[in-house]
Amino acid sequence: MSVGLVTAAALLGALAGVLSDRAIPVLARRFPGSGPPITPGLLAAGSGDSPGCADRPPPSAAAGLMAGRAGRSTGRIRAGAVLGAVGAVVFGGLAAVRGPEPALPGYLLVAGGGLVLARADLACLRLPDPLVAATALAGGAGLVAAAVATGTPVRLWAALAGAVLSFTGYALLALLPGSRLGYGDVKLAAVLGLPLGWLGWRALGLGLLLPHLLNGVVVLGLLAARRVRRDTALPFGPALLAGAWLAVLLT
């Protein structure tokens, strides 16, 4: 493990995390959400001050307006710091475990897109198609470059197989009665299937299983803390991304 590589990746991840939070106000205007922002846990900036899709100024009184702006500004700084720390851990972890292998840039590109998608899903309950597509193109390009560099183009077929299997599995789950999976989740699962398929069947299996385990733990914790109700809509994208990241680290 190269300390310099891990440090550089962590710093890059911190920057990506901060930028992902800065992108949310723009995304909120371009991709309206399906409901009020859902930001439980660390990313919650406080009651009413999340920079999500339903972000609106308080009543028009001057004092209230200034207080609302100050609250939202503080919330954004707080959320940006959390996203920066998350990005540093995600990027640094990938660099520490995978090392200077040719596919590392591809993993980092997917992770960078994932940070934006996770924040957007938490804030807007949306995984916008253009962002999912951009993440797929960036990750795919990184894997193609790795295949050329290592002279192993056959691994691209494994990556495509992982994407197809992930898409098929999650599409079937989304069609089940009572399923809360959205088609944005299905598309994101296909994107994450690319790097997981590249790594092999074990990584792909873990990447398909871990998101459900992680999401179950989070939902049970929120229910126990009475932060949500049984019918509360919660984002699944962050669990998908966290599960894929853990699968890469454990493979």
Side-chain angles (χ1 to χ4, degrees):
M1 179 181 67
S2 169
V3 175
L5 176 64
V6 174
T7 301
L11 291 174
L12 182 61
L15 177 61
V18 172
L19 291 178
S20 70
D21 187 65
R22 295 292 182 182
I24 288 302
V26 177
L27 296 177
R29 290 191 293 270
R30 290 181 60 85
F31 308 108
S34 57
I38 304 294
T39 52
L42 289 176
L43 288 182
S47 176
D49 59 8
S50 171
C53 297
D55 189 30
R56 294 182 177 87
S60 57
L65 183 61
M66 293 302 294
R69 286 176 177 171
R72 287 193 296 275
S73 177
T74 302
R76 289 193 178 100
I77 292 173
R78 213 179 299 160
V82 172
L83 262 294
V86 170
V89 171
V90 169
F91 277 50
L94 291 172
V97 172
R98 308 310 310 180
E101 64 180 76
L104 179 61
Y107 305 144
L108 297 181
L109 287 169
V110 173
L115 289 171
V116 182
L117 286 165
R119 188 65 177 105
D121 204 14
L122 285 166
C124 309
L125 285 178
R126 287 288 302 275
L127 292 167
D129 284 346
L131 291 179
V132 176
T135 303
L137 289 174
L143 295 180
V144 168
V148 172
T150 58
T152 55
V154 69
R155 294 188 71 176
L156 292 176
W157 290 109
L160 288 174
V164 171
L165 288 173
S166 295
F167 178 85
T168 303
Y170 274 89
L172 292 174
L173 288 176
L175 292 173
L176 291 176
S179 174
R180 294 192 176 186
L181 283 177
Y183 284 101
D185 300 318
V186 175
K187 296 168 190 174
L188 178 58
V191 173
L192 297 175
L194 286 170
L196 294 174
W198 171 275
L199 288 174
W201 294 111
R202 182 171 184 269
L204 183 61
L206 286 172
L208 292 174
L209 175 63
L210 287 174
H212 298 282
L213 297 178
L214 294 172
N215 191 63
V217 171
V218 170
V219 170
L220 288 176
L222 291 173
L223 285 172
R226 297 185 178 181
R227 296 289 301 275
V228 298
R229 300 179 305 182
R230 291 182 181 274
D231 60 347
T232 301
L234 293 172
F236 190 66
L240 271 172
L241 291 157
W245 178 70
L246 287 174
V248 173
L249 297 190
L250 294 173
T251 303

